[in-house]
Amino acid sequence: MSRDYKIIEKEEIVPNVHKFVIREPRIAKKARAGQFILVMAHEKGERIPLTLSDWDPVEGTITFYVLELGISTMDLITLDKGDSLYSIAGPLGQPAKVEKFGNVILGGGCFGIGGIYSIAKAMKAAGNHVTVIMEARSYYLLYNIENLRSVSDELYITTSDGSGGIKGHVQKKLDELVIAGRKFDRAYFMGCTFMLMQCSKATLPHSIPTGVALNAIMLDGTGMCGCCRVTVGGQTKFVCVDGPELDGHLVDWDELFIRKQIYREEEAVSYQSHACRSTTGYEHEMKNNSGGDS
Amino acid sequence: MPGFEGRVKMPEQPPEIRARNFQEVPFGLTEELALKEAERCLNCKNPLCMTGCPVAVKIPEFIQLIKQEKYAAAARKIKETNALPAVCGRVCPQESQCESKCVLGIKHQPVAIGYLERFCADYERDMGLTEVPEPAQPTGKKIAVIGSGPSGLTVAGDLIKLGHEVVIYEALHKAGGVLTYGIPEFRLPKKIVEAEVENLLKQGVRLDLDSVVGRVRTVDELMKEDGFDAVFIGVGAGLPTFLNIPGENLNNVYSANEYLTRANLMKAYRFPEYATPVERGKNVVVIGGGNVAMDSVRTALRLGAVEATIVYRRAKEQLPARAEEVHHTEQEGVKFTLLTNPIRFIGDETGCVKAMECQRMELGEPDSSGRRKPIPIEGSEFVIECDLAIVSIGTGPNPVIFSDLAGVDRNKWGYIDVNEETMETSKAFVYAGGDIVTGSATVIQAMGAGRIAARAIHQKLEDNKTG
Ligand SMILES: Cc1cc2nc3c(=O)[nH]c(=O)nc-3n(C[C@H](O)[C@H](O)[C@H](O)COP(=O)(O)OP(=O)(O)OC[C@H]3O[C@@H](n4cnc5c(N)ncnc54)[C@H](O)[C@@H]3O)c2cc1C
Ligand SMILES: Cc1cc2nc3c(=O)[nH]c(=O)nc-3n(C[C@H](O)[C@H](O)[C@H](O)COP(=O)(O)OP(=O)(O)OC[C@H]3O[C@@H](n4cnc5c(N)ncnc54)[C@H](O)[C@@H]3O)c2cc1C
Ligand code: SF4
Ligand code: SF4
Ligand code: FES
């Protein structure tokens, strides 16, 4: 007897990124910034982690953003307003460390542009000066700009192709700000693993304490299986219970990259075999709009 | 003369066939075989068998009912003390419990109590004869059960019969605990667990899936805000132990929990129909010697392993797994490399495990558990090649439930301390039982704890009402 996780709102806000608003009053009541949920689109689906971007305890709704990458994210986005998801467990993970640090710098890329909103909002509410840098491949892939502006003191945009904001990535703007004499007391990044690593490398020389929302492969999300383990400062941590926020300066990035590759062949099989059966026309669409994880 | 003819043999799939499919290994007794086996029971005045059963199933009584061909009545007789006979008949370590005490075992072979238990329970279910008890007079009391493993299901079943309102909170999207996510289909078909859960729901138990207590609700909130009069914690021992040796985070090194959860709960053996993947090794090693290790290695065979090896640091006599399971595992062609312990995993250029360096062990003096302690032999290092390794060396208490649980005392291993007569914890009206109290044990022990807790909860709530 699962509860009914009804889709109240669903929209493809930029190519391949879908915003979902779901009725789930219990999670809406308990969620804290930086936490995530484990979602199954249907009974035969995978349990996949997604970050809570926002929630409304009064309306009893939660909001998250889905970047279409493979079979499970595709299963989700083929659902429509009025449909229900099979399973949602959460809020999971430790809430982000939010306190009055002073000057806080946040960076978001791909799905992290959606997820970083909760962090910005909480950091702002805690009395910090909040600087947000967002990144995308191209300007038309940026979303959530107005929301992020409303909870930040400064907002910067970077694009890899230079079609908007600064040409480059989060760490480029970050370097610029630091060189211009800005001091930051705390950094937090959310996005693909490569971006998290690059941003952590950028804050290290400036000794800015850095949290990263790690996106290891997960299964149960409750510390029961150990598949999300990563090495942080020489110790094994479970991202789902010790994280997702972990110290970006201590993460063993090489190991994490390798661990994320484990199901590469199966992911391809899964996507192909689904696409062959599907009648939605997605089979010919290249998954190249949003970079994804490498 | 009853008893002296040989014990029946359970018909089962031949090893070379079953090692490649996920269907249940033993077929169950036919009616004819069940009657024959039941005839062997001496109907002892002083049934020693019952002393070997943690919940004292009325063994001679149910076997007498089988003799009278009253199979459903026999099942109900078992259910007076054991709510899940179809499960226990399959997975109880009978050879060290009920059957180990049967008098026939002294000179001959003991009565096949487990087989008979399974027979009646299956009969009752398959014939649609399962009875839903009449709803009891409501007491107006509410109990929250956390975890839907055997301990939680037992507490829920006992308390609903007494007229209490019961809600089970389960972290996963399916109920059953280890019965669902851990023990494989070929040993315990999931439809049996589902039928048991369904039966509880029919009696009015509410099941709240996807509910991780400690996150979405805390025990305190359940009691203070949601109006529960008592809480039972039956969350099991769901924290995998790793070896803490180099290379353990290489790809294709799994914890048994992950491997079995992918295969059972998520049905990865039916990938890509089910979307969750699991690596299919050709040359699989499993480290450990318990039931969980046997289940892992047998699952690996069924997922296509050509070679499958158990690596265990003690000797064969010390394998903690059930004798029957070791036997089944050997029959299916698994190799046992005993007195051997891994010291590191070796990876290939893509970050996948390709071998395991091991050390030979010898047995020294008995340790605190009374078993002879394995000691590494210097200079005995050697390498075992493998493309998949499964670490199955035990579990510990999962921390999530404790993230907001003041006042519940725990022992030095992190398990919950209880008053063994009531299963009450150091926090009033909060009870606990099963693996989260004892560490990994057995299904029937978890159920026994659930039964004690249910009785104590009922008593305390009644006393509270009048007092
Ligand atoms: C804590 C956390 C929060 C996340 N938040 C978001 C979010 O808000 N929005 C969003 O779009 N994505 C988020 N992700 C990533 C998202 O879970 C994966 O993109 C998704 O699982 C991919 O599944 P797929 O079948 O569509 O793609 P696949 O083809 O299976 O995989 C694509 C990529 O996703 C990774 N991946 C695959 N399976 C899993 C899994 N079970 N768990 C984690 N990663 C996996 C793989 O390494 C691969 O690189 C988050 C991940 C984590 C760990
Ligand atoms: C692979 C394997 C094979 C086994 N084989 C046998 C066998 O042949 N015979 C035998 O007798 N025993 C066997 N056992 C042991 C037996 O299964 C356990 O002793 C028994 O299941 C313990 O029951 P339990 O009620 O304590 O909890 P569990 O069965 O462990 O169930 C606990 C439940 O609580 C849920 N949970 C955990 N945390 C939370 C939370 N915070 N909020 C909500 N829910 C939560 C879990 O998801 C789980 O569903 C085996 C165990 C394993 C792993
Ligand atoms: S419950 Fe287990 S131990 Fe008890 S009689 Fe049945 S099989 Fe034997
Ligand atoms: S001890 Fe053996 S023979 Fe006697 S009642 Fe029990 S099962 Fe029957
Ligand atoms: S996802 Fe299983 S332990 Fe983290």
Side-chain angles (χ1 to χ4, degrees), chain B residues 37-341:
Chain B
E37 185 63 16
E39 279 306 324
R40 295 181 63 229
C41 171
L42 304 173
N43 194 11
C44 301
K45 286 260 146 26
N46 176 18
L48 289 177
C49 52
M50 282 176 66
T51 64
C53 171
V55 297
V57 163
K58 294 172 181 158
I59 297 167
E61 290 181 46
F62 95 75
I63 296 181
Q64 286 308 109
L65 287 164
I66 294 182
K67 287 184 193 167
Q68 298 161 24
E69 298 179 32
K70 293 178 181 158
Y71 309 124
R76 278 168 215 142
K77 180 57 73 186
I78 304 172
K79 283 185 176 171
E80 287 176 17
T81 59
N82 171 354
L84 305 172
V87 174
C88 292
R90 287 172 166 82
V91 305
C92 261
Q94 289 101 9
E95 68 279 8
S96 60
Q97 296 183 351
C98 51
E99 293 177 14
S100 74
K101 297 279 163 49
C102 170
V103 287
L104 282 185
I106 301 170
K107 285 204 173 143
H108 308 272
Q109 287 169 306
V111 174
I113 301 167
Y115 293 175
L116 291 175
E117 189 165 318
R118 169 184 164 164
F119 171 78
C120 337
D122 285 357
Y123 182 91
E124 189 195 27
R125 187 188 62 255
D126 293 343
M127 296 294 168
L129 297 173
T130 311
E131 281 181 350
V132 178
E134 286 296 307
Q137 188 67 27
T139 60
K141 299 285 178 188
K142 266 172 82 175
I143 296 99
V145 172
I146 307 171
S148 61
S151 69
L153 295 179
T154 305
V155 172
D158 284 3
L159 289 177
I160 200 85
K161 284 195 198 85
L162 294 166
H164 302 292
E165 196 181 326
V166 183
V167 184
I168 304 180
Y169 292 94
E170 167 55 50
L172 295 169
H173 58 278
K174 282 222 172 94
V178 169
L179 308 181
T180 297
Y181 79 72
I183 303 181
E185 180 75 18
F186 57 83
R187 263 206 316 126
L188 179 62
K190 299 308 148 211
K191 70 170 205 286
I192 289 171
V193 184
E194 280 159 20
E196 296 297 352
V197 172
E198 205 46 50
N199 192 32
L200 281 183
L201 300 185
K202 279 193 202 136
Q203 296 177 47
V205 170
R206 244 186 67 203
L207 173 61
D208 228 339
L209 298 169
D210 302 331
S211 301
V212 185
V213 176
R215 293 276 193 259
V216 74
R217 298 308 277 158
T218 65
V219 171
D220 273 345
E221 285 168 345
L222 291 173
M223 297 181 81
K224 291 198 185 113
E225 294 175 21
D226 302 347
F228 285 100
D229 299 288
V231 173
F232 175 81
I233 302 174
V235 296
L239 178 75
T241 306
F242 284 96
L243 292 151
N244 289 318
I245 59 176
E248 199 161 25
N249 292 351
L250 285 164
N251 282 345
N252 296 7
V253 179
Y254 283 92
S255 75
N257 271 7
E258 180 186 352
Y259 190 73
L260 291 172
T261 302
R262 284 182 183 272
N264 297 320
L265 179 70
M266 307 309 294
K267 300 213 178 353
Y269 65 91
R270 286 164 67 181
F271 178 87
E273 180 197 352
Y274 283 76
T276 303
V278 67
E279 287 301 319
R280 295 170 178 243
K282 289 275 165 252
N283 183 1
V284 179
V285 294
V286 175
I287 301 109
N291 283 321
V292 185
M294 302 306 142
D295 284 345
S296 301
V297 80
R298 297 173 73 196
T299 299
L301 279 180
R302 285 157 176 78
L303 286 171
V306 180
E307 262 191 75
T309 309
I310 288 274
V311 173
Y312 179 58
R313 65 196 179 115
R314 301 183 197 245
K316 177 146 188 203
E317 304 70 59
Q318 293 158 317
L319 284 167
R322 285 187 63 191
E324 181 174 333
E325 296 314 325
V326 174
H327 176 65
H328 274 140
T329 306
E330 280 182 321
Q331 276 185 331
E332 289 172 13
V334 169
K335 204 167 106 194
F336 284 72
T337 300
L338 302 165
L339 287 165
T340 299
N341 205 32

Side-chain angles (χ1 to χ4, degrees), chain A residues 43-290:
Chain A
E43 199 186 344
K44 297 181 178 179
E46 249 184 310
R47 295 166 64 92
I48 61 162
L50 298 169
T51 309
L52 290 164
S53 170
D54 202 7
W55 47 91
D56 186 334
V58 180
E59 291 290 317
T61 57
I62 57 174
T63 302
F64 54 83
Y65 293 83
V66 180
L67 168 71
E68 190 200 346
L69 272 184
I71 186 79
S72 302
T73 46
M74 181 166 90
D75 281 346
L76 272 177
I77 64 155
T78 46
L79 296 175
D80 275 320
K81 179 173 168 173
D83 292 344
S84 298
L85 307 193
Y86 175 70
S87 159
I88 302 185
L92 299 173
Q94 303 294 336
K97 290 181 198 72
V98 175
E99 53 189 84
K100 189 163 179 192
F101 294 109
N103 272 303
V104 172
I105 186 150
L106 309 176
C110 60
F111 71 79
I113 299 177
I116 202 79
Y117 173 77
S118 74
I119 314 284
K121 191 172 166 184
M123 288 289 192
K124 181 82 186 142
N128 293 291
H129 181 94
V130 177
T131 303
V132 176
I133 311 174
M134 38 203 308
E135 77 166 49
R137 235 173 16 82
S138 193
Y139 194 74
Y140 75 97
L141 294 172
L142 285 165
Y143 59 97
N144 218 16
I145 301 179
E146 283 318 308
N147 275 340
L148 277 170
R149 208 187 295 284
S150 71
V151 292
S152 57
D153 297 283
E154 296 170 53
L155 181 79
Y156 300 100
I157 286 169
T158 67
T159 52
S160 344
D161 64 2
S163 54
I166 298 163
K167 184 170 161 65
H169 299 275
V170 168
Q171 62 272 22
K172 183 164 174 211
K173 182 66 206 175
L174 191 147
D175 273 335
E176 273 181 31
L177 291 171
V178 175
I179 289 164
R182 293 287 301 279
K183 290 261 179 292
F184 294 106
D185 305 297
R186 183 86 194 167
Y188 187 104
F189 302 107
M190 191 184 289
C192 73
T193 307
F194 189 71
M195 174 219 162
L196 300 181
M197 179 181 75
Q198 293 297 343
C199 292
S200 301
K201 283 186 178 160
T203 56
L204 185 61
H206 312 301
S207 310
I208 307 170
T210 297
V212 286
L214 289 186
N215 44 31
I217 291 183
M218 292 188 181
L219 180 57
D220 61 300
T222 64
M224 181 269 274
C225 77
C227 94
C228 63
R229 62 196 191 274
V230 292
T231 306
V232 181
Q235 281 187 318
T236 295
K237 298 277 181 194
F238 288 3
V239 175
C240 71
V241 289
D242 301 318
E245 178 183 353
L246 288 159
D247 187 334
H249 296 156
L250 299 178
V251 171
D252 181 338
W253 295 104
D254 293 341
E255 180 186 284
L256 180 58
F257 278 117
I258 290 170
R259 285 192 67 79
K260 292 208 67 174
Q261 298 286 323
I262 174 168
Y263 297 113
R264 208 159 49 169
E265 279 170 36
E266 288 81 357
E267 280 155 8
V269 169
S270 201
Y271 197 80
Q272 301 283 316
S273 64
H274 189 283
C276 297
R277 282 186 266 118
S278 98
T279 52
T280 56
Y282 277 100
E283 59 263 53
H284 301 304
E285 201 171 294
M286 291 297 288
K287 302 187 284 171
N288 61 358
N289 275 335
S290 325

